[in-house]
Each structure stands twice: as structure tokens, then as C-alpha cells.
Amino acid sequence: GNSVTQTEGPVTLSEEAFLTINCTYTATGYPSLFWYVQYPGEGLQLLLKATKADDKGSNKGFEATYRKETTSFHLEKGSVQVSDSAVYFCALSDRGNTPLVFGKGTRLSVIA
Amino acid sequence: GAVVSQHPSWVICKSGTSVKIECRSLDFQATTMFWYRQFPKQSLMLMATSNEGSKATYEQGVEKDKFLINHASLTLSTLTVTSAHPEDSSFYICSARDFRKGTGIYEQYFGPGTRLTVT
């Protein structure tokens, strides 16, 4: 079945540091890939997405590129801020009538 | 963008009582909604898939008689936790799926979650 594996947290960075959260997936066919963010006490918000190979999703300074050859969708940001502290979930969706499959989440803490 | 609301945002109830949580898609119609449960510092666990006008499909290990799901319209699904106990305390999140013709994919939009505490 489909699955997502992402960097185990927690990840702690200083402000303005470079961020990478790894995400690899297993899926049949050509899934769409997503990164969601969950701020403390809130639900999930879509951060970015990519629907086909070599697509780059970007939002709020975050980027991720759909790499079919390595089955990866790593999340990056060049300079993190304290406000980026949250839990980040990588997810995939096949094109059928099935729900998102989530990774376990990575908790990011950014300290000033 | 697509908005999903949940009500209430938090609820405290006594053991043995039932609690209903509503999930609404505000600006689109959702034939499919999902209910998730999230324990502290953990990922989301899919509980069930709710299809409008039909019975919900529950994931393995989820008691359907305890977690009653009704999806009576294209914009509303409800989760009722019956005879709640302290172990049911959790963060419950719903999501609604919308098919985007532009991208040709289904996208899921999440509600803000409902924190349930059973005393």
C-alpha cells in the first residue's frame, strides 16, 4: 500500500538557519504530494503541493520538488523564523477515491 | 480558498454522555469527508470515510457503534462520540474533499479541529 516516511523530530534550529525535512514515499502510480503545517492547537493547513514529477511547490519561503526517481518530496526553507515553529506533515494522494496518506509528522522548533 | 469549519472547537463532557461534532464545508460541496483523531504529539489517525447519503466506512479498530458518523448533506458531516469515556479524550479533525477540475486531483481541506476532554 501507499506510505510516507519523513524526518523524525523534533528538529530544533536557530533563527535564520536552513531547514530540510526529508520525505520519501511509496506508491503505485503517480501520486500527488503535499506538505501540511499544523500550528499549536490548530488544524492542518496546506503549505504546498506538487501534482507531477519535477513540479516544485512553494509557499511562504518553503519549497519542495517532486522527485520521481528518488520518490522524494523534501521540504526546504532557506531561513527559518520563530513563527515557523509547528508540526509539518508530508502526505500523498493517489488519483483515486482514497484519503490522504500522512507521514508521522516532524515537529520543528525555531529558537531566537 | 475552500473553507471547512468545525463546531465546537472544544468541549468538555462527563463520562457516559454523548458529544456531537459538526463538520461543514462552507464554500464547496463535499461528497466525501474524513474524520481523523490525533493524540498529543502524534500524527493523524484516519477513523472513517464519510460519503454523502451512505454509510461511513470505518478503519480497522475503530468502533462504529461508538463513533457514529452521519453525512446527511453535501456540506455537513457529524461525528457523535457515544457514551464517552476519558480514553476518548483527543483532538478530532475533519476534512472535506473537493475535486479540482483545473488540476484533475482531489484536494482535502481540513477543519480547525475539536478538542474533546472527557472527565
Side-chain angles (χ1 to χ4, degrees):
Chain A
N2 298 338
S3 66
V4 175
T5 303
Q6 62 182 99
T7 300
E8 266 194 54
V11 173
T12 303
L13 295 173
S14 298
E15 210 166 19
E16 299 183 3
F18 185 87
L19 169 71
T20 300
I21 300 178
N22 289 335
C23 171
T24 57
Y25 67 89
T26 302
T28 53
Y30 301 95
S32 297
L33 301 173
F34 305 83
W35 277 101
Y36 285 86
V37 59
Q38 184 179 32
Y39 297 103
E42 299 183 12
L44 271 68
Q45 300 175 27
L46 178 64
L47 181 60
L48 54 85
K49 67 185 179 191
T51 59
K52 61 182 187 296
D54 299 325
D55 266 2
K56 177 187 282 188
S58 61
N59 186 24
K60 301 181 182 179
F62 291 90
E63 292 184 342
T65 301
Y66 188 145
R67 300 287 187 202
K68 188 170 181 294
E69 63 277 14
T70 54
T71 61
S72 65
F73 192 54
H74 304 321
L75 182 68
E76 296 182 337
K77 186 173 185 181
S79 175
V80 292
Q81 306 300 313
V82 172
S83 57
D84 294 326
S85 298
V87 181
Y88 293 82
F89 292 94
C90 186
L92 72 81
S93 170
D94 66 24
R95 294 175 189 266
N97 196 24
T98 55
L100 285 168
V101 174
F102 286 93
K104 292 187 176 181
T106 303
R107 182 174 300 277
L108 170 66
S109 296
V110 180
I111 54 177
Chain B
V3 178
V4 176
S5 70
Q6 272 184 251
H7 178 79
S9 56
W10 61 271
V11 57
I12 301 173
C13 71
K14 291 188 176 180
S15 191
T17 61
S18 295
V19 174
K20 179 185 284 189
I21 302 170
E22 293 186 349
C23 176
R24 294 182 185 271
S25 56
L26 297 186
D27 51 2
F28 66 100
Q29 293 184 329
T31 54
T32 303
M33 292 185 174
F34 305 97
W35 286 96
Y36 295 84
R37 183 173 180 177
Q38 187 180 33
F39 292 100
K41 299 186 178 182
Q42 294 190 26
S43 189
L44 283 74
M45 181 191 79
L46 179 66
M47 298 175 67
T49 300
S50 167
N51 292 302
E52 186 263 340
S54 64
K55 290 183 179 180
T57 302
Y58 290 83
E59 296 300 300
Q60 192 171 9
V62 177
E63 299 176 61
K64 58 184 178 183
D65 294 332
K66 179 163 192 62
F67 299 99
L68 300 178
I69 292 172
N70 183 275
H71 192 160
S73 77
L74 288 172
T75 58
L76 173 65
S77 176
T78 59
L79 168 68
T80 301
V81 183
T82 61
S83 187
H85 291 285
E87 58 266 30
D88 298 324
S89 299
S90 194
F91 194 52
Y92 292 87
I93 302 175
C94 76
S95 75
R97 186 160 64 189
D98 186 26
F99 182 75
R100 294 281 160 165
K101 290 183 179 178
T103 57
I105 63 170
Y106 289 97
E107 294 192 19
Q108 276 185 238
Y109 300 93
F110 288 82
T114 297
R115 185 161 303 285
L116 169 64
T117 301
V118 184
T119 60

